[in-house]
Amino acid sequence: MADCLFCKIIRREIPGKIVYEDDELLAFEDINPQAPTHLLVIPKRHIESLNALEDGDDQIVGAIVRRAAAIAKERGISGGGYRTVFNTNRDAGQTVFHIHLHLLGGRGMTWPPG
Ligand code: 5GP
Ligand code: ZN
């Protein structure tokens, strides 16, 4: 997608602090971190939101979630805990329409979220 911010990070057209990359995924630091660890894990293929997922996408969704868990473990926050969030559309506050899993950790968090 030509105009998508996260596709531009994937293509290195805008800078991103990339912490993990493979053939299908990228993980990078959120530009406006809300916790000591705040990363975004994204598929390299442009998918707008969870609403656009199809039957064949189960593998990529699993890979995104498992990568977030692996990074949390590497950073030493898996035992204490962390939060993973997919925001979808207006009511959840989605602002970038390329699926991204937020990985937030390194501090205590409250529930319910705002
Ligand atoms: P959403 O609100 O769509 O769930 O989350 C979008 C996230 O992308 C926000 O946490 C925001 O800080 C982050 N973000 C927006 N623009 C950029 C950018 O140019 N670079 C990076 N690394 N993160 C961004
Ligand atoms: Zn995109």
Side-chain angles (χ1 to χ4, degrees):
M1 281 280 286
D3 287 341
C4 170
L5 188 63
F6 290 172
C7 284
K8 287 180 179 173
I9 290 176
I10 292 164
R11 295 194 300 263
R12 280 25 180 215
E13 290 171 14
I14 61 169
K17 288 187 186 164
I18 294 168
V19 302
Y20 177 85
E21 179 170 24
D22 64 25
D23 289 347
E24 58 183 359
L25 295 182
L26 200 69
F28 55 98
E29 307 272 357
D30 195 291
I31 204 168
N32 182 23
Q34 301 300 311
T37 290
H38 187 176
L39 303 180
L40 303 172
V41 186
I42 66 171
K44 286 189 168 174
R45 182 160 56 87
H46 181 87
I47 306 171
E48 272 202 5
S49 79
L50 263 54
N51 290 337
L53 288 171
E54 297 173 350
D55 286 348
D57 293 330
D58 292 5
Q59 187 275 334
I60 188 67
V61 174
I64 290 168
V65 173
R66 294 209 61 226
R67 182 50 49 191
I71 295 170
K73 191 173 179 191
E74 277 167 25
R75 297 201 167 201
I77 59 171
S78 53
Y82 55 91
R83 185 165 292 170
T84 43
V85 179
F86 287 108
N87 290 321
T88 302
N89 279 352
R90 183 196 57 231
D91 281 357
Q94 185 177 5
T95 58
V96 179
F97 288 83
H98 179 133
I99 285 183
H100 47 281
L101 181 60
H102 293 262
L103 167 61
L104 297 137
R107 66 169 173 83
M109 288 176 212
T110 57
W111 191 264

